[in-house]
Structure formats: C-alpha cells, structure tokens
Amino acid sequence: MSAAHAAPVAQDCVSVSEGRYAGTFATAGQTHCLELPSPQGARIAALTSLGGAGVPVQVEVVDKNGTAQCTAGELDRGGCALTGTAPFRALVHADDTTETGPYGVHFVRTDLTQNGCQVLPAGSFADDAAAVRLETGGGVFSHCLTIPADAHSAAELLRIRYGFPDDTDLLPRYAISIVDTDGNGPPSCYNHPAPGQQVRTDGLTSCDFAAGKAYTVLVQGQDAPRTLTLDRRDITATARGCTVSAATAVGAPAIAGTSGQTGTLRCHRITTAAATDRLHINPRDAHDGTNVLVMDNNGGIACHQRNWACTPTGSTGYQVVTQVPEGYHLPAGYRLDAWRIATAAGPAPECTRVGSVAYGYGPLTGTLSEQHTGVCAVLPSVSGDRFRADITSTATDGSPGPQPALYNNAGRDLCTGSSSTYDCQGSDQSLFVLSLQDWADHSAYRANLVCTNAPCGSEEVSVGTVTPGTVQSGTVATLTVQGTALGMSTTVRLTGGPAPLTATTVSVSEDGRTLKASVDLRSAPAGNWNISVVALNSEYPRGTLTVTPPPVSGLGTYKPITPTRLMDTRSGLGVPKAKVGQGGTATLQVTGTAGIPAAGVTAVVLNVTATDPTDASYVSVYPNGTTRTSASNLNVTAGQTIPNLVIVPVVNGKVSFYNNAGSVDLIADIAGYYTTDGTGSTYKPITPTRLMDTREGLGVPKAKVGQGGTVTLQATGTAGIPATGVTALVLNVTATDPTTGSYVSVYPNGTTRTSASNLNFTAGQTIPNLVVVPVVNGKVSFYNNAGSVDLIADVAGYYTTDGTGSTYKPITPTRLMDTRSGLGVPKAKVGQGGTATLQVTGAAGLPAAGVTAVVLNVTATDPTDASYVSVYPNGTTRTSASNLNFTAGQTIPNLVIVPVVNGKVSFYNNAGSVDLIADIAGYYTS
C-alpha cells in the first residue's frame, strides 16, 4: 500500500453509512474523507468500479490518528481489519489526479451477516433455477451476497455469467471475493479458466467451506449496463443432480450426454471400488468443445478444467462437471470415457502384458468404435526409454487414427505430438493406451511403438544357443536362437561356404527371448558353416552348423499307413485346443509320429476336414518353414463341414494350416507318406474308371449303405489293377443322396476301422473326396455312420511294390489355372459340355518330359447350375468318372491325381457354366 494521505481535520470528513456511497470530485487532485460507522475490531470491504462510468478511484482506510489500517487488496477482498482507534476514515482519490466527476465506493461489513446482502441459494446440477440475477450500471458496479452457515457443503462450485456489453471497447471485467464472518480469512478458492479462453464472461470458481460458518460473497464489476448471474452447487459426493455411473474397463462404451446450451453445466458422478484406483476420464465430441472439471469425494480439485483426458486417483468417487464454454463450438452431445486404468495391484487386468519392448511394441491393428473405445498394454519399459508412436488410419472413409497415450505410474501422459507421429518417454512400467480421437466415433488403425534408443526396457542384448546343430542340404531349415532383447532386425549369418547365407527372421517370441529364422539350403553344399548372430550392429559368433548331404534323390516312394488322426483343434490333439482364427495358423509336427519316420519324408498325405466355421473362408495347407503361396485346399461357408485330401511337402518335419477369415476347427487324418529311402511303393496312374456305384449295383450290391453299414469292394484284379503287389489305391469317392448328415470312412478291408473319416455331408448333399487307401487283402471297405447314402468310387491309379511305377516329387503349392483371370487358360467360365485344357509339363518347375501324373487341387466356384467336373488326361477319351460335384453358387475343392499323356490335362463341365481353379502340389515321374 502506498503511504497514507495526511488525515484531514474532522470537520472536513463526511459521515457515511455502510453500503454504496456516491461522491463527486469537483476539482482535480481532491481527496475526499469519508467517516465510517464501523467500530474497532470490525472487518470491511471497500469495493470500487473496475471500469465504465465514473472516475476510477483508490481507497485507503486510516484510523482517528491517521494510522493506515489495511492494503487496497484487503479492501477489495473484504479483509480490511480495523485495529486502530475509531472513528475510521476512508480516504478516496482519483487514479488520475487530473480527473474530476462522479465516483462510487461500496462499503460492506464482512465480520457479520449483512441484511442488505441477498442470500445466494444452493442449486442443483439438475436444476439451474436457483441463481441470483444482478444488474449493474447507473452508478451500481458491485453486489454482496450471503451464504448461510447451515446451507452449504464442504466444497462448492460458483458460476458467474457476466453480460457482454454493446460497447465492445469496454471488455468485461469482474472479480469475486468470499470471506467468512469469523475473520479467519477467506476460503480456499480457485478460478477455473477454460483453455485458450481470452475474455472470461462465463467463469467457474471452486471453493472449500468450513462447516457451521456463514460467508459473504463480494461481486466487483463495472459501472456499465449489464447483467450478472451467480449460482452455486455442491461438488462433493453429496452433489445433487449428478448422474451416477461406475468406472468401466478400458475400451468399454462411453457415457452419453447432451450439451444443452453454451455454458450449461452437467454432472456425472463416477464411482470406483478403491481410492487407490486410477481412472482415465476423457470427454469426446464432434467439435472437441466439451470441457471437464473433476472433483473428488471431498470436492477437492482432481483435474483442472480441460478438454482432454485426465487421470485422477485418491478417491472412491469423482464429480465430473462438463461444460462447453463460450467461444467453443457447441455440439449436440458428447461421450465421456471413464475407464479404470489401474488399481493398487497395478495396471488394469484387461491390458495386455507385453514381454519385451527392446525394439518397441507392435505393430497393432484393429478397429475402435463406440462399443470398443480403446485398447491398452502394459510395457516393461524403464526411465530413459524413448519411443516413436507411428499411428496410421487404415480406414477408407477418412476417419482418423486413434489417440495414443503412454502413462507413467503417476498417471502422466508422456506422449507429445499430433497427427500420425508422437514422441513418447518411457517410465518404470508404462501403460500404453489407444483411444478414439475426441471428434471420432470409429477408427481403423495400424499402430507401431518404435524404440528409438534400442534396446528399451531393462534387458540388454545377449545371444545364447543356436539350434539345431545339424541340418540337411536341399531343405529350408529353421534355426532357433535363444537370448534376450532379440528382435526382428536380428539376423543369423552362415559363412564358410561358397557364399555367405543370411537367414530370414520369421518370428520373435513376445518376450524377445526366442527367435526363429529360416535359411534356404536347397543349393547349399554340405559341410560345416560358421554361425553368427548380428544384433544392434554387434556380432556374436555361435559355433558351427553342420550341413549334411542331401538324399540320393528328391523323388519319393509311397508308404501307406493305417489311417490315423493326427490333429483335432476341438480336443487339442497335435495342436493347442482352439479354433484357428482369422489370419491364424496352426502348425502340426508330422515326422516322428504315427509311424512316420523322423527323417527322409518328402511329403505326407492328409485328409483335412474343416468344421464349424464362423464365416466363409478358405484353408491353405503348406510346408512349414516356407512362405505360404496363394494356393488353397479347402473352401468353406459358415457352419459347413467339408473335407479334402492334401498331399503336402515336408521341409522341416511340420505342416502349417492357415485360415483366411472367421474361425474354424480343423481335423487332419494321415493316410501315408513319401520317403526318399526307396522302401516305399511307386505309382501307376490308370485311365480314370468307375469301380463302384451302389445306385446301379456296380462292384457291390445295389442298395444304399445304411446306418453303421459297410460295403466291401474287390479292388485288385479289376480295371487294369494287378491282383498282387498293390499297396494302396487312389479312389475318388462320391457320396450322394444321403438321408441325413453323416460321415464315411474308407479303410483297408481286413483291418480294424479307426476314427479317421474321409467324407462329411449333410442330408441331400452330393460331395466327392479323393482317398488314398491302403490295400491289405485286395479289398476296400466303405463305412457309413448315420442314415443311408449311395456311394460311388472311381479309381485313378494304384501303388505297387514291383518297381515299375513312378516316383513322386512334391513342389511348392502353385496356382497353374484360374478361369476367372485367364491364368493358364482363356479367361472364361467353362460352359455346359465345355472343356478347358491346361499345359502342365514345363510349368511351375515341372520337367518337360517324363511326367506320368500330376497332383492338382481343383476348385469349382460360382457355378450357375448343379453339375459335375471330370479331370482327365488330354489326348484320351473321357470316361464316366467324375471328380467334383456341386450345386448352383457353391464353391467346392477336391484333390485330383490325373495321368499325363501329352503334357496337358483337360477339365470337362457337364451342365451350366463354372469357374475352375487348379493348384499343383507335385508330380510323378518315371
């Protein structure tokens, strides 16, 4: 406070009452003396105008002896304590000593409740009617109000709305002061400015109040014609008009709210189980205009006013007050995410626990919506880690990617940036969250968190063992590296041969401790190769890899075995118990099981059944350790059960099963394998010939095969099949006109039937499947499980021990023909009675000569009518044998082993028109 003016003599002072006083400076430089009625010990306020009409003035209070009593600030705030000798005098002078004219001062006793001060009633968030309307102008620039001792809570939110004047040269200005009547000082109050708000005509102030105390509210404004509206609301756990909701799991649907008018206050009470829980509260709307102010159970400020996410903790409930302040775009409504992101035990249990962040985390792909609003992951990061968050929208409608956040244990978001790239700091165990952008209601995305100072986390790079120590030349081998902080950028190198080899890193375990790498040894010479692992520009020598010579021939002879079930995802046989999901792969160990040797196996014959698919899809069966091609083996529709025979190469002893869409259970029954040791049988293709038809009595009695019934076919010694030396037959078996859903098992007569099946069908369905069945006593049996069904069997060839047949060469499954695109044949459906002819020799690695038969997976799709397709050797007369049967609109595959006469294969369609696809799996050569 400036030095007090000299005290005028008593007769120059004008006695005034408490309340408003209006005076006039007649000449420049005057100081008016106003004698106050307030006694010693009283506390007063002296309020002056903050602009508008009249002369701006300064007020000082002195006692009888001219001793200064308080500062100008204490007078403004109502805390001027009169401790001197009465009478007390207010000395008033103009801010600008050259000014003259009228002025005003408003004196208010604040140590007791004033009758002249209007009561400020308590309001509710459900009812805005409990407000006081105040006018200024015409010499009025201030007001006082009271809050009764028994009519307030421990914490309240005051809202003042100040009318914007017509004269925009006078920007709005006001101040609120609150003082109790005990003289213990004002309550703790905080003004909440909206982010970016320049002119505050609609303000929020939160205050803590002591129980049993009355308070005086001083409103200081401008001497200008305008309206002020003031209201107050409880913001503790007892707040009235709050919608109560429990905190949700991360990503749960948001709370919906309507905005009302600009400035309208809404309240949501969010409860949680424990005060140690940490929440993520985020307002979202189309214009990013909704602000939140968050209070705890006691009314304490948990989050200051903002329009972005806050993460409070320390209370079992929060009052979330929403408002669209002036100057913000007003949306019709908003959504409020209220997630529980952590408890005393740590981050929320629904958040994925990541094993390693040595090189980052991701990529993550997915879709967010109002039903799935976010995802989260717990990262084992440490302080000092740095990440780059690359966020990409994969939507085709222009919707944005999600908003990333990386929270530390104190709930602080350590990500900065915008658009698609963010810089994020790590902390000890960070929580990574992806949520919808404030203005978006959906988001398809790809998100990748890249460690920019690798390795991140607490683990340093280390390299342990590399296995196996011995592999065979002529194969694609999988190497397994054990260590810590391994990543997809880690490489395995082989040196010591004609040229260095670099393995392709295929996968890294989620904890960064196991790396799988694929190395192509198909042309690598035998010998000892030096192994080294390169990670983060450091090289770790790890001994030698012994590459053994390849087998004498890549050509295989066939060894039939008793049909045995190797895999069933429904029960967990051979693979984990779970459907194969969209884009998922199940991998089955085939060598060393069910009588299949551990080495020397070039291909296996599997009957694969897809059952209970949730969506239309296709399944590809391919050699593990190789890159999957576009070739497919089964096509399914939702709910369908369908089998198909597969002859699949074996590279590393395993076979993989890929599902394109939805999820599906898969079953695999082994029928035999091809071996390079020369102990198996060779293959003799023959002209496709019908051996059995229960409809006509061909080969067996004329009758459907009934429930639990079996028919037995004499196979050897017929249709060019020798009477002896036959180890297995290749039959295309068709089930037609079944009376109910069932399955058929084809097995060697003279043996006990196993659980393996070959055909699955529904009532009325006609469906074929290729069967390679062992021959024990020259006969083959056909078992039907339920209802009754007609069965047809066409022979395509046989395996013999006399050494006169052909050996098998598996190749990478490759698409040779597609009438939809014109691959291999003209681009056109095959019409009624029409034939498409495909050149097979000299294509896809097949030799130009010496090929006796090819193995094709043939798929019929989009037929216009029910029909059948016959696949036969071009240059021969087509027989009555068929390979595929289908109805209009159906997509169905079947494996075909077709003889090759002149290097070509023909595909005949009986009715309507149909598109045909053919994928080659291997060939036989003499």
Side-chain angles (χ1 to χ4, degrees), residues 690 692-696 698 700 703-705 709-711 732-737 743-746 759 761 767 781-784 789-793:
R690 183 148 294 176
M692 181 181 83
D693 192 335
T694 62
R695 300 171 303 181
E696 302 175 0
L698 175 63
V700 293
K704 285 179 182 284
V705 183
T710 302
V711 293
N732 195 69
V733 181
T734 303
T736 188
D737 195 26
Y743 68 84
V744 165
S745 293
V746 186
L759 290 95
F761 44 81
I767 190 168
S781 292
F782 301 76
Y783 166 82
N784 173 42
V789 63
D790 275 311
L791 297 176
I792 305 161

Side-chain angles (χ1 to χ4, degrees), residues 32-36 59-62 88-92 105 107:
H32 285 185
C33 177
L34 307 178
E35 186 170 305
L36 305 175
V59 180
E60 300 174 50
V61 175
V62 297
F88 298 94
R89 294 155 183 164
L91 307 180
V92 184
V105 182
F107 298 102

Side-chain angles (χ1 to χ4, degrees), residues 215-232:
Y215 291 87
T216 300
V217 180
L218 304 173
V219 181
Q220 187 177 10
Q222 298 165 314
D223 188 356
R226 64 196 64 182
T227 301
L228 296 87
T229 304
L230 189 65
D231 54 51
R232 64 183 176 95

Side-chain angles (χ1 to χ4, degrees), residues 750-761:
T751 68
T752 302
R753 178 176 59 83
T754 67
S755 61
S757 64
N758 299 91
L759 290 95
N760 298 73
F761 44 81

Side-chain angles (χ1 to χ4, degrees), residues 369-760:
S369 67
E370 288 300 343
Q371 298 305 310
H372 178 55
T373 53
V375 294
C376 57
V378 183
L379 309 184
S381 58
V382 296
S383 180
D385 288 345
R386 295 291 184 273
F387 299 96
R388 185 185 72 248
D390 296 326
I391 311 296
T392 305
S393 172
T394 58
T396 58
D397 60 0
S399 59
Q403 174 75 32
L406 193 63
Y407 289 123
N408 63 11
N409 290 330
R412 181 185 172 195
D413 180 10
L414 301 179
C415 283
T416 60
S418 60
S419 184
S420 61
T421 300
Y422 300 78
D423 292 320
C424 304
Q425 300 178 41
S427 64
D428 291 337
Q429 193 183 68
S430 303
L431 180 63
F432 184 52
V433 175
L434 291 176
S435 58
L436 285 168
Q437 294 280 2
D438 288 353
W439 59 90
D441 60 6
H442 66 284
S443 176
Y445 65 88
R446 184 180 189 275
N448 200 23
L449 203 61
V450 179
C451 174
T452 57
N453 62 329
C456 289
S458 60
E459 290 187 331
E460 297 295 329
V461 174
S462 69
V463 178
T465 60
V466 180
T467 55
T470 302
V471 294
Q472 190 179 80
S473 180
T475 64
V476 177
T478 297
L479 304 178
T480 301
V481 181
Q482 302 292 341
T484 57
L486 305 174
M488 290 300 291
S489 61
T490 304
T491 57
V492 181
R493 294 178 182 172
L494 302 182
T495 58
L501 297 175
T502 299
T504 301
T505 300
V506 175
S507 65
V508 178
S509 63
E510 193 269 339
D511 61 4
R513 297 185 170 216
T514 302
L515 178 146
K516 300 282 188 181
S518 176
V519 60
D520 190 345
L521 301 175
R522 285 178 290 187
S523 60
N528 291 326
W529 294 69
N530 299 316
I531 305 174
S532 63
V533 178
V534 180
L536 295 179
N537 299 318
S538 295
E539 188 166 2
Y540 303 83
R542 285 299 176 266
T544 59
L545 175 70
T546 300
V547 179
T548 60
V552 175
S553 171
L555 301 174
T557 55
Y558 183 67
K559 299 274 283 193
I561 62 176
T562 302
T564 305
R565 184 147 294 174
L566 290 189
M567 181 180 84
D568 193 334
T569 62
R570 302 171 300 180
S571 63
L573 175 64
V575 294
K577 181 180 179 180
K579 285 180 182 283
V580 183
Q582 179 170 330
T585 301
T587 298
L588 173 68
Q589 178 72 43
V590 291
T591 58
T593 63
I596 306 168
V601 175
T602 60
V604 290
V605 179
L606 298 172
N607 194 70
V608 181
T609 303
T611 187
D612 195 26
T614 61
D615 204 348
S617 181
Y618 68 82
V619 171
S620 292
V621 186
Y622 63 99
N624 183 261
T626 70
T627 302
R628 179 176 58 84
T629 67
S630 62
S632 64
N633 299 90
L634 291 96
N635 297 74
V636 295
T637 56
Q640 185 181 26
T641 297
I642 191 167
N644 198 16
L645 195 72
V646 177
I647 301 177
V648 58
V650 174
V651 171
N652 61 6
K654 301 175 183 178
V655 173
S656 291
F657 301 76
Y658 166 82
N659 172 43
N660 183 61
S663 60
V664 65
D665 276 309
L666 296 176
I667 305 161
D669 301 320
I670 184 82
Y673 62 91
Y674 291 90
T675 177
T676 57
D677 64 7
T679 61
S681 303
T682 56
Y683 181 67
K684 297 277 281 191
I686 61 176
T687 302
T689 305
R690 183 148 294 176
L691 294 186
M692 181 181 83
D693 192 335
T694 62
R695 300 171 303 181
E696 302 175 0
L698 175 63
V700 293
K702 180 181 180 180
K704 285 179 182 284
V705 183
Q707 179 169 329
T710 302
V711 293
T712 299
L713 172 69
Q714 177 66 47
T716 58
T718 61
I721 305 169
T724 60
V726 175
T727 58
L729 289 177
V730 178
L731 299 174
N732 195 69
V733 181
T734 303
T736 188
D737 195 26
T739 60
T740 191
S742 181
Y743 68 84
V744 165
S745 293
V746 186
Y747 63 99
N749 184 259
T751 68
T752 302
R753 178 176 59 83
T754 67
S755 61
S757 64
N758 299 91
L759 290 95
N760 298 73

Side-chain angles (χ1 to χ4, degrees), residues 124-127 238-243 266-268:
S124 163
F125 287 101
D127 180 5
T238 57
R240 293 183 296 124
C242 291
T243 303
R266 308 287 193 203
C267 180
H268 301 271

